[in-house]
Amino acid sequence: MTVAIAPAANSNSPASEVMILGIPKEIYPGERRVAATPSSAQKLQKLGFQVRVETGAGLAASFPDEAYRAVGCEIVDSPVALWAESTVVLKVRAPQHHPEVNQDEVDLLRPGGTLISFIWPAQNSELLERLAQKQATVIAMDSVPRITRAQKMDALSSMANLAGYRAVIEAAQHFGRIFTGQITAAGKMPPCKVLVIGAGVAGLAAIGTARGLGAVVRAFDTRPAVKEQVQSMGAEFLELVFEEDGSGEGGYAKVMSPAFIAAEMALFAQQATEVDIIITTALIPGKTAPRLVTEEMVNAMKPGSVIVDMAAEQGGNCELTRPGEVYDHNGVKIVGLTDLASRMANQASQLYGNNLVHLLSDLGGADNYTLDMEDTVVRQSTVVLAGEVTWPAPPLERPVPPQAVAPETQMAQDASQTKKTGVIQQLLWPVLIGAALVGVGLVAPESFISHFTVFVLAIFLGWKVIWDVTPALHTPLMSVTNAISGIIIIGGMLQVSGPLTSTVTILGAIAIFVSTLNISGGFFVTQRMLNMFRK
């Protein structure tokens, strides 16, 4: 099914032949973001759209009206006129009551118009019905599927990335110490310990930021697939010994079994007594945030600790979170801010504006603007289509794994043949080396055999000395020193076979002692140096 969108109806205006994008000022309390920046507005114009911006729409994000005028946007003073004349309205927050004109933004939207913004359809079924009564078409940016092809339009990930970064900055503001450990003349400062619950986009951003500030970071997630991502960022991944997998649809975690939840709660209780900062990001769209941090856990935390609850807008992961507030509970700061991305309004607006540009480009631009409901991304994100509520969309089809072409007998034969080939390859080189040594022994003079034996033993001992060194100690200087010392030890061992009073025997013994001291002392000193930098 393909739906074409008609241009704005305004026969008295020369712009009647073009599609008009309206950028209203956000009216949600404290919201600083704007749906289009001067940069993204310029890109939208290249797609054939005429862009109209409400007066002061970008001011809170440091985008004055003059910046929009400079790139060819029209500034509109009246929000009523902006909504009524726009073919497509681009917003950040879902429509709500407009205090200045004493009307709901749904009523301001022209009949048959299109709205693109965050909608949260699972929590706003009544809003969907009201938009359907306006015969509107609504694309929810929070419903864009998290698939590879749609990453450039994934506004949820864009905002979560910034929110995760900002969560650590807010934690640092309320934390009474620095994050990194230091050893100074005035004393030793231990590093801050941070626990991140939930390793999605926001969680990984928080991990990276905390690690960048020098903290020791631990992370937990119900999805085993994120373990390598967490470890690659230098954090410790906390695991539970369970066969249960928490991977749900759309890249989100799913609700776990009671036994798993009990085990993870015990883990969080133990971690609460050790860490200084807890950042929670656990949230499943359309559902109340799970309670992961209880009052008992908060009371067990050290005075001066901080909890940043990124799920505060949906009730919070912490039992004591107050959405929109920051307060002190028995010496523990609980941060329940719901506008973390908005606190970085300039960059957040740029990312969100680019997400919208990519979406409108994929919809064909102004000249070929169509909603192809056979397209997975369009179908998943379109929650109202020409007055009909289309949410929830059908689940994404999972690819069927290909069946094995060869029968079981053929697979067994292939495996057996592969095993035989591997055994032959493993035995080939030892046999060839042994044959070469036998040939050398048969034809070479006795003096050569003596020197060759010393050479082989020196190589073996030097290799063992270097190979058994901890990888953290590997340096070119250490490798060369150990190799030389190993050769000296072998030479000394060959010389101590004479009389004990012989000068050669005494020098050989001294050489063995000094070389052994050099190897062991080098290991000891280097190990102490490494321990100084371990947190």
Side-chain angles (χ1 to χ4, degrees), residues 276-341:
D276 303 297
I277 295 174
I278 296 179
I279 298 175
T280 65
T281 71
L283 187 62
I284 301 176
K287 298 183 179 180
T288 303
R291 293 296 171 86
L292 303 176
V293 181
T294 64
E295 183 175 358
E296 290 76 14
M297 297 180 194
V298 177
N299 292 332
M301 296 183 72
K302 295 172 286 188
S305 300
V306 180
I307 297 175
V308 181
D309 194 340
M310 296 184 63
E313 196 166 3
Q314 300 300 325
N317 296 135
C318 176
E319 188 177 355
L320 301 178
T321 295
R322 299 174 186 172
E325 293 186 29
V326 179
Y327 74 102
D328 188 293
H329 176 81
N330 295 337
V332 178
K333 286 287 183 65
I334 301 178
V335 181
L337 298 174
T338 59
D339 61 346
L340 292 173

Side-chain angles (χ1 to χ4, degrees), residues 25 118 436 453:
K25 182 179 179 180
F118 284 101
T453 302

Side-chain angles (χ1 to χ4, degrees), residues 456-472:
V456 172
L457 290 174
I459 290 177
F460 177 76
L461 182 59
W463 173 76
K464 287 293 293 180
V465 169
I466 296 173
W467 185 261
D468 291 341
V469 174
T470 304

